[in-house]
Structures are given as C-alpha cells and as structure tokens.
C-alpha cells in the first residue's frame, strides 16, 4: 500500500513563506511525476507545480517566480517552497504522484491535503 503524507501547512501573513513536504511510503519501485495541486473553497482543484523524475518542472502562471518545487528522490519526497504568499494562495494543498508499486505498472496517488491560509 502506497501512502503520500503532506506536512508544513499553516497560517501565515501576506508576504510570508511556507514550505510543504510530501513523503511517499510503502511498496515503491519507482516514481515518475510528483506534483502539487490546490483547491480553494468553491473552486476546482488546480495544478500548482509539477516535477518529473528527470528534473523538469512546470508551474501555474499564478505562482511562477514565487513557488519552487523540488524533490529528493532518495527520500521519495517532494517539497513546495512558497514565498511572497498572497491571500489568493489560501487553499488545501494536495500532493500527487505517479508511483509504480507492483509489476502491473504505475498508479496515481493523492495525499490527504494540508491547509494553507494567508491572511492578515
């Protein structure tokens, strides 16, 4: 059984920073993409940042220049460094990954989510 566990959410004032972590555990043969999504109240879940096993990254336009995704492949962990936070960044942030846990191929997994609140 594969699990993704996020940590690092919380409340911060506008302009502040937070660092989210997501660790994958369980029976893991390999991991391809590791991504961060977010969902604000009343809105659809959206991709915030993505990373491939080759080290390529992509970002939503709304977070470019402020957020940085990185991963530690040895620890099966992905991070999201969030700087210059704005109230509109308030959302539940979810980790998502494509993980091969058996000989049958890759499955897509989600974490439980962590709340980020940006408010003065």
């Amino acid at each position: 059984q594969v699990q993704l566990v996020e940590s690092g959410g919380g409340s911060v004032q506008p302009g502040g920073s937070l660092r989210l972590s997501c660790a994958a555990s369980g029976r893991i043969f390999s991991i391809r993409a590791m991504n961060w999504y977010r969902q604000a109240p009343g809105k659809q879940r959206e991709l915030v940042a993505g990373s491939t096993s080759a080290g390529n990254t992509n970002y939503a336009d709304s977070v470019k220049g402020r957020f940085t995704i990185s991963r530690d492949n040895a620890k099966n962990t992905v991070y999201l460094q969030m700087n210059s936070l704005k109230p509109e960044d308030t959302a539940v942030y979810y980790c998502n990954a494509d993980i091969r846990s058996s000989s049958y191929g890759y499955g897509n997994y989600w974490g439980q989510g962590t709340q980020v609140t940006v408010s003065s």
Side-chain angles (χ1 to χ4, degrees):
Q1 185 76 4
V2 172
Q3 281 191 316
L4 297 177
V5 179
E6 300 112 333
S7 60
S11 296
V12 65
Q13 293 186 338
S17 298
L18 284 173
R19 188 191 194 212
L20 306 183
S21 300
C22 170
S25 63
R27 183 181 174 89
I28 298 172
F29 289 171
S30 61
I31 302 178
R32 288 188 310 203
M34 297 190 84
N35 311 302
W36 287 98
Y37 285 76
R38 68 184 180 188
Q39 188 167 19
K43 294 188 176 181
Q44 288 189 329
R45 191 171 297 188
E46 63 173 351
L47 177 65
V48 176
S51 72
T52 70
S53 57
N56 298 311
T57 60
N58 63 284
Y59 298 91
D61 288 342
S62 59
V63 306
K64 281 181 182 176
R66 300 188 297 122
F67 290 11
T68 302
I69 188 171
S70 61
R71 51 195 281 183
D72 184 335
N73 291 324
K75 295 182 178 180
N76 293 330
T77 299
V78 63
Y79 306 96
L80 185 67
Q81 178 66 44
M82 305 185 293
N83 298 328
S84 302
L85 282 161
K86 304 176 181 180
E88 51 263 42
D89 294 319
T90 296
V92 178
Y93 283 70
Y94 296 91
C95 178
N96 169 268
D98 292 328
I99 299 174
R100 185 180 179 210
S101 61
S102 73
S103 60
Y104 297 105
Y106 285 84
N108 189 254
Y109 296 88
W110 291 89
Q112 81 285 356
T114 185
Q115 177 70 46
V116 171
T117 302
V118 185
S119 174
S120 55

